[in-house]
Amino acid sequence: MPIAYPSQRVAYPYFAIALLLFVLQIVFGIWIASNYAFNLPQGLVDVFPFNFARPIHTNLLVLWLLLGFMGSTYYMIPEESGRDLFSTKLAYLQLVILVGTGVAALVGFVLRWTSGRPLLEIPFTLDILVVIGALIFLFNVGLTLIRARKWTVTQGSLLGGLVFLALLYLFDLPFYRNLTIDWYYWWWVIHLWVEGAWELVAAALTAFLLMKITGVPRATVEKWLYVELGLFLFTGIAGTGHHYYWLGAPHYWIWVGGVFSALEPLPIILMLWDAWKHVKERQIPMASPLVFLYAVGMAIYHVIGAGFWGFVHTLPPINYYTHGSQVTVSHGHVAFFGAYVLLNLTFFYYAVPRLKGFTKFNERPGRIGFWWMSLTMMGMGLAFGVAGVLQAYIERVMGFGFMTAQAQMQFWFQILVFFGLSMLAAVAYTVANILTLKPSPVAGGSGNDLKKTS
Amino acid sequence: MSPKAARAIFYLGTLISLILFLALTVDTHRQVQTLTHADQLSDQVVSGKRVWQKYNCNDCHTILGFGAYYAPDMTKVYWRRGAEGIRAMVKNPELYTTWRKMPNQHVSDKEIDDLIAFFKWTSEIDNNNWPPQDAKLRATERKVVALGVSSGAVLFQEKGCFGCHKLFGTGVTVGPELTHVGGRLDHNTIEKILDNPRSVNPKATMPQIPLSHEQRDQLADFLTGLK
């Protein structure tokens, strides 16, 4: 069934821009990996140094994921509340503000305009624009829900996550005199985003998709949603402590952070079990096997990258040697891919055909893209991981010095550049596929299900 | 599980974690004053932090283990390099880096002074002995100078000489190893090098370390004794 509310269409430009930024993100990723893998001339390093290329890679990631979440929210809210969006004009205005701010930030990095805090480099002036964009978004979504007067747990989780996300961003705004306090609150943005607010958004979008594609009753899906959210927040909030071990904060954070973050895989495993169970007990025929593949793939990858890798890396005796090494980078890449990249792509593969007025399309390219990206990311995670273990052992355990370790790791970064090129091709292929989907009488590989429907 | 129980898990789980977290945050604010020696957080240290942010140093280096992983951690750099080692590196990175390079960002002399004050302050943060390699190095350095038990030996560690020179297997080999330097150079030559490194070898990249006459003499005494 195509979309029921015309205002859902605002989602499409959000998705399209997000996907193009995704491709650009990988291009800069390959560039910064090359900085590790090869010896660059001093003249080039002086003109375009690593420290102004990396923020382009990371800020593009945050920007496109957030645009994806916002587009998905605009798609989902009308169907959940049974009412068109409060204003499509505001939605477009918000998109222009956020993308404009993004472009200004990227050009700014090349010109060395920065606030100097990793991942949150954009200067104060641009921060204000981001806050304005976020306020328009919350206003628009909030007013739609208030006018509809229909509250669901899924909506609550989504709106709660978005408000929480916006509030936490405020902790980025001040200048902190004390470095320790600075990092203490930096994690309120970074950690409480990805292991708090974003998980609420992700859980809501996943619950919405599961209801739509499996037909499992709302009461069942939302009951488990409550349990997952409870566990996410229980482990995630105090779990922030796993960033406070070596910060100059009190010693008890080693215990609080260690214990709570050891529990963090629980909600993720529950989410996988939950998705798997709903898919197995589906009440309606499988309209799009590709969306199922993505949804289950996302849940499994989430468990590996965020759950397992995160669990190992945050145990304090291990973290003493792996903290701030390439092990962190390995965990970051696999976890973000599993938790948030695949989530966005799952949603896009569900929503884009419907926005274009059909549900069945040739799914072969989508499947190829999924396996190509997922296997490449495994390779990347392993290459970063091997480099990280070498670093932890040579630099931290043996005490041989930073550059001695880096020399031994260089080979793995050359492998990484290769995987990066593979990832670029895979992402470009997938993005091109999503943006050019065409209706097809038969969705790939679902012959049996189709017969049942007719 | 009943829907009621599911809701209870949500509210209870969230509240318990939130209350614990906020309570510990209040206590952390209290304890950080001591752990970070907040009384020594002078305006110059804060200016140094602004320099650190202005040049986006943190997107190559980590500090307290956070940031980018392209270049060494800066938490205890003051132990490793000393004030003059840091100054030399920031001013002319092209002289001291080989295959992975640091950009010359044309940081002013005043900014470098502030940056050094900032690093001096961060090196004293009590952070459970992290990073392990710097904690270990510091301990070994102390043992090595204890062999000397002279004021010159102590100066050797305090001025960050280990940041470029090796002594009994400890330290870095940016500059020549000094374990047997007393056999190669006499007291006078060493004093001359310390006074102006380029006076003996015009191509030397060693920075000039500000030392009093007496300190120079003590350091040269210690080094000539290493035969």
Side-chain angles (χ1 to χ4, degrees), chain A residues 35-36 39-40 42 45-46 49-52 54 112 114-116 118 121 175-180 182-185 187-188 223 226-227 229-230 233-234 237-238 240 243 245-254 260 320 323-324 326 328-329 395-398 402-403 406-407 410, chain B residues 1-3 6-7 9-11 13-14 16-18 20-22 24-25 27-29 31-32 35-36 41 43 46 49-50 53-56 58-60 63-72 94 99-105 118 121-122 125-130 132-133 136:
Chain A
N35 279 241
Y36 278 95
N39 304 347
L40 306 178
Q42 184 76 36
V45 172
D46 283 341
F50 182 92
N51 60 332
F52 286 95
R54 180 191 188 251
R112 308 195 181 190
T114 175
S115 76
E121 293 92 347
F175 173 83
Y176 298 93
R177 285 170 61 90
N178 187 318
L179 184 75
T180 295
D182 188 335
W183 286 107
Y184 191 87
Y185 287 108
W187 285 111
W188 282 38
K223 183 179 82 185
Y226 257 130
V227 179
L229 295 182
L233 293 172
F234 178 70
I237 295 176
T240 315
H243 300 291
Y245 300 162
W246 328 114
L247 177 65
H251 190 79
Y252 52 67
W253 283 114
I254 292 191
F260 277 84
Y320 184 62
H323 172 55
Q326 295 296 331
T328 315
V329 183
E395 185 193 356
R396 280 93 186 272
V397 179
M398 304 295 287
F402 184 83
M403 287 311 294
Q406 296 290 318
Q410 201 176 14
Chain B
M1 186 186 297
S2 72
R7 256 204 310 278
I9 288 181
F10 170 73
Y11 285 112
T14 309
I16 291 175
S17 198
L18 191 66
L20 175 70
F21 187 63
L22 292 178
L24 293 183
T25 296
D27 183 67
T28 297
H29 266 282
Q31 292 206 39
V32 158
L35 290 166
T36 66
L41 193 60
D43 286 341
V46 176
K49 183 171 181 285
R50 287 189 192 273
Q53 291 184 213
K54 174 181 170 189
Y55 293 98
N56 223 38
N58 220 167
D59 261 320
C60 279
I63 194 159
L64 295 167
F66 307 123
Y69 318 101
Y70 191 63
E94 61 282 353
W99 56 278
R100 181 162 312 158
K101 298 179 183 72
M102 170 164 163
N104 191 332
Q105 301 212 73
F118 172 62
W121 176 80
T122 58
I125 296 176
D126 180 359
N127 68 334
N128 293 326
N129 254 337
W130 194 93
Q133 68 275 20
K136 199 173 141 192

Side-chain angles (χ1 to χ4, degrees), chain B residues 44-225:
Chain B
Q44 192 184 19
V45 172
V46 176
S47 304
K49 183 171 181 285
R50 287 189 192 273
V51 175
W52 169 254
Q53 291 184 213
K54 174 181 170 189
Y55 293 98
N56 223 38
C57 309
N58 220 167
D59 261 320
C60 279
H61 294 278
T62 46
I63 194 159
L64 295 167
F66 307 123
Y69 318 101
Y70 191 63
D73 187 82
M74 292 287 105
T75 317
K76 310 288 182 196
V77 67
Y78 191 83
W79 293 357
R80 291 199 305 269
R81 295 263 183 257
E84 294 317 307
I86 297 168
R87 186 188 314 280
M89 183 64 139
V90 177
K91 220 170 160 55
N92 295 103
E94 61 282 353
L95 293 179
Y96 305 99
T97 52
T98 50
W99 56 278
R100 181 162 312 158
K101 298 179 183 72
M102 170 164 163
N104 191 332
Q105 301 212 73
H106 307 289
V107 186
S108 78
D109 289 339
K110 194 218 162 253
E111 287 177 326
I112 296 179
D113 281 336
D114 296 348
L115 200 54
I116 292 169
F118 172 62
F119 287 143
K120 183 165 194 252
W121 176 80
T122 58
S123 73
E124 297 306 324
I125 296 176
D126 180 359
N127 68 334
N128 293 326
N129 254 337
W130 194 93
Q133 68 275 20
D134 290 339
K136 199 173 141 192
L137 186 71
R138 176 87 150 172
T140 331
E141 281 179 8
R142 283 191 165 143
K143 263 183 236 154
V144 170
V145 286
L147 293 174
V149 279
S150 67
S151 34
V154 175
L155 279 171
F156 191 88
Q157 191 210 358
E158 278 182 354
K159 295 292 171 182
C161 305
F162 280 111
C164 288
H165 298 285
K166 248 198 172 106
L167 218 55
F168 303 109
T170 294
V172 179
T173 43
V174 173
E177 169 153 3
L178 298 180
T179 312
H180 305 293
V181 66
R184 294 198 308 273
L185 304 172
D186 58 28
H187 191 283
N188 200 15
T189 318
I190 293 176
E191 267 204 275
K192 262 165 83 182
I193 295 175
L194 288 172
D195 184 35
N196 174 8
R198 254 163 281 228
S199 63
V200 175
N201 171 10
K203 282 195 209 140
T205 53
M206 175 169 157
Q208 195 173 7
I209 318 284
L211 296 165
S212 68
H213 273 294
E214 203 193 347
Q215 287 177 319
R216 206 152 55 222
D217 186 46
Q218 290 167 343
L219 201 44
D221 265 351
F222 166 65
L223 290 170
T224 36

Side-chain angles (χ1 to χ4, degrees), chain A residues 20-40:
Chain A
L20 296 177
L21 295 177
F22 183 21
V23 178
L24 198 59
Q25 184 216 338
I26 312 292
V27 172
F28 277 92
I30 296 171
W31 170 247
I32 62 178
S34 309
N35 279 241
Y36 278 95
F38 307 111
N39 304 347
L40 306 178

